[in-house]
Amino acid sequence: MKELNPRVVYGETLRSLGEKDQRVVALEADLGGSTMSCLFERAFPDRFFEMGIAEQNMASFAAGLAIEGKIPFIHSFAVFASGRAYDQIRQGICIGNVNVKIVGSSSGLSDFGDGATHQSIEDTALMCSLPNMTVLEPMDAAETEKIVEAAYRHQGPVYIRINRNDLPILYPEDHDFVIGEPVVIREGTDLVVFASGVMVSKAVSAANQLAEMGFSLKVVNVSSLKPLNAERVKELANGVQGIITAQEHSQLGGLASIITSIFKGDGRPIETIGVADRFGQSAKSYEDLLQHYGLTEEEIVASAQRILRR
Amino acid sequence: MEQLIKELESRARTLRYRIVKMIGPEEKGHLGGSCSIADVVTALYFHKMRHDPKQPKLRTRDRFLLSKGHAALVQYAALAECGYFPLSELDTLKELGSRLQGHPDMMKLPGVEANTGSLGQGLSIASGMAAALKLDGLDSKVYCVVGDGEMAEGQIWEAAMAASFYKLDNLVAILDRNGLQATGRIQERFNTNPVREKWESFGWHVLEIDGHDFAQIIEALDTADQVQGKPVMIIANTVKGKGIPFAEGVASFHNGTMTQEQFARACQLLEAEECEGR
């Protein structure tokens, strides 16, 4: 499967938005080479603000730019973008529904080497709990482009989780991303898995394995974590025996919580795959970490088998 | 000039009267910090700033932000007196559903530029607004009131660095240096002094005035117009609770409660001065 880096595509997309619209500005907290806001900086130095390693000021400063009609994209690692500047996002951006786009790069465990301080498995919970906030997590580079364009068109605050590493391209070419809508990546009839980010490709691999065993797993990409069309989610689970969720995030407050609350009282078994209530750590490779925390296709297959054996 | 100062003094008394009335007796309210900055706010809204209550979003207006959002009462009084909304609405302060929230809300009230109240953030927002105005080639000013207690917030210094790095000479911060934080004297509780040297070393053009002397306030605001390539900090030395004798310099009136008697006394005094002034 073809793999591409979501960060690079992110930077290219932001640059092309900058070409199209003078109102687009970018702010960076000294991670431009990682977040790839450097591509925007090179093209539009006058509309690029290096804010130094000061994420809190960056968030509030962006609020001021947005109040005056600019469309600011602010950048840092997801853990700092969402956590270090949480109060600034809450007070200055969300309460006033201010049009700031927050780009949380190197999300989840994808900054594998840097360890717990730089990994972000709580950001979905933090950002989804804020009224007026839209929370998006692309599953690959192709969807990253669509999501960044949708975030730009959306009036109001948006948080985007972007993975640091190359990911397989799964996004259907003719599909247009719509905020709030889950998308079927692979049809299936026995079970459904609601996945986001890197876990979508793991879910597709799991579906292949299960198919060999004679079971049919539907894979749904939930890249719009908030808002999320709950009726559509329920409809996508019509007729299946059980439901699985998979996100590279804490089990608390992420996709596991979101989907579980939609199926409250449903009665069918639900299995959730995510990071148990603990922090990340350093590893030599991304795959090692995903394995260690159970974020694998094997875990999805095992969850499916647990449901089917009931 | 004398006539102008007389007018402004009368306006400031009216604002303080409105503040006292808004809080009322036996109710908590941010009396001290609203009264300490009342004269500066008066000079801005009734003399210095270009603004139009009928077009609160006019692109070419000057902007006013309270980084110390808890002084909202003085801004509400000024906005109502200017005609942004009816004076009678001041009576709805903090009522459920009111546009007059405990801290300023841009979504609810015309004339409020940003949501402030979580201390340390307003100066950053003001800096972003000033940067946007520069990008658009507008000559509007952004005025932002900061508290001296608020100077303990680290984000203030992040904003101080950013505003000077980006040469935001259209940004004028006013430090309401009333010397008191909620729990006592700043010098004793958590000393944010020396003030002048800090702002100068962060690359700001610093002016220092008596924040209750209109001639000095006006002169400083005019001087700020001439400064190029640097943001301006006007250190306004003030008295917390200024104009309300029993609250002057009393930390507990930060968010204090007036007794019935104190309330009556304050109203009487401000009304009497008002008549005298006219």
Side-chain angles (χ1 to χ4, degrees), chain B residues 34-278:
Chain B
S34 299
C35 289
S36 58
I37 201 63
D39 297 316
V40 168
V41 170
T42 299
L44 285 168
Y45 274 98
F46 298 95
H47 168 65
K48 186 65 186 173
M49 289 202 301
R50 295 165 292 181
H51 67 118
D52 180 358
K54 292 192 176 55
Q55 303 177 79
K57 289 286 170 198
L58 192 68
R59 205 70 187 99
T60 53
R61 74 191 183 281
D62 293 328
R63 277 76 167 157
F64 175 83
L65 285 87
L66 275 175
S67 194
K68 46 171 284 186
H70 55 274
L73 302 188
V74 69
Q75 189 181 16
Y76 295 163
L79 290 172
E81 285 288 338
C82 287
Y84 281 84
F85 56 86
L87 280 165
S88 58
E89 202 170 337
L90 293 175
D91 297 338
T92 70
L93 176 76
K94 292 199 244 182
E95 279 176 9
L96 186 65
S98 171
R99 298 197 290 175
L100 277 64
Q101 292 288 300
H103 291 83
D105 189 337
M106 63 181 273
M107 296 285 274
K108 295 194 162 76
L109 200 63
V112 172
E113 304 283 4
N115 286 73
T116 55
S118 180
L119 293 175
Q121 300 181 12
L123 188 61
S124 300
I125 299 174
S127 303
M129 292 170 82
L133 293 169
K134 275 194 174 284
L135 277 177
D136 290 346
L138 292 165
D139 72 345
S140 299
K141 290 260 177 205
V142 183
Y143 295 98
C144 181
V145 171
V146 181
D148 53 353
E150 187 183 13
M151 279 180 51
E153 290 278 6
Q155 192 183 344
I156 287 288
W157 304 104
E158 294 183 4
M161 282 186 271
S164 84
F165 180 71
Y166 284 106
K167 301 185 169 55
L168 301 178
D169 50 17
N170 54 345
L171 173 67
V172 180
I174 300 123
L175 181 68
D176 180 9
R177 193 184 187 203
N178 60 37
L180 294 175
Q181 58 187 71
T183 53
R185 289 183 64 213
I186 281 175
Q187 272 185 329
E188 291 159 9
R189 304 293 298 167
F190 185 84
N191 197 356
T192 54
N193 294 306
V195 170
R196 187 185 190 107
E197 292 83 345
K198 282 195 177 88
W199 288 96
E200 278 173 349
S201 69
F202 275 75
W204 287 55
H205 185 94
V206 182
L207 304 164
E208 188 165 356
I209 58 166
D210 174 345
H212 302 303
D213 180 325
F214 278 105
Q216 289 189 36
I217 297 169
I218 291 166
E219 195 194 338
L221 292 172
D222 289 344
T223 304
D225 290 343
Q226 309 306 318
V227 175
Q228 289 191 343
K230 282 179 168 191
V232 177
M233 166 53 80
I234 299 172
I235 299 169
N237 291 305
T238 58
V239 174
K240 203 157 179 173
K242 176 73 178 178
I244 319 294
F246 55 81
E248 283 190 3
V250 180
S252 59
F253 274 102
H254 170 79
N255 188 16
T257 308
M258 287 175 278
T259 62
Q260 285 284 0
E261 196 203 341
Q262 284 173 327
F263 174 71
R265 205 158 15 118
C267 290
Q268 199 182 20
L269 179 74
L270 290 164
E271 276 168 334
E273 281 187 5
E274 183 67 19
C275 296
E276 222 174 88
R278 278 176 187 168

